[in-house]
Amino acid sequence: MLQNQYDIVHIHYSYGRDLFRLPLEDITKIIVSDVTPIIHEVLKNHQYQELVKYCIQTTGDLAR
């Protein structure tokens, strides 16, 4: 991606294990509410013709 001159934004958050005991719908709402302001800030400061994609990953530690 970098060699093609794309901008990459990484958003790193740490969530406690308790979050992942909630229903998936609640987890999604919490993560979206945390990430949305950052995405809005990025889009406010830069003009993009298209957004390629995003990915949410968790670490294996959270499954324990």
Side-chain angles (χ1 to χ4, degrees):
M1 298 295 281
L2 291 175
Q3 67 270 21
N4 293 327
Q5 298 182 352
Y6 287 102
D7 289 339
I8 297 174
V9 177
H10 287 198
I11 302 170
H12 297 269
Y13 275 93
S14 295
Y15 295 101
R17 291 185 183 142
D18 291 341
L19 175 77
F20 295 95
R21 293 187 178 107
L22 297 172
L24 184 57
E25 184 176 333
D26 293 343
I27 295 170
T28 301
K29 287 179 184 177
I30 291 167
I31 292 173
V32 167
S33 72
D34 288 342
V35 171
T36 297
I38 296 163
I39 299 299
H40 284 220
E41 189 68 22
V42 168
L43 294 176
K44 180 174 78 174
N45 292 316
H46 302 305
Q47 294 293 321
Y48 292 100
Q49 293 179 352
E50 63 182 291
L51 295 176
V52 177
K53 68 166 114 174
Y54 62 92
C55 177
I56 296 176
Q57 297 178 338
T58 60
T59 63
D61 294 336
L62 298 174
R64 293 183 193 159

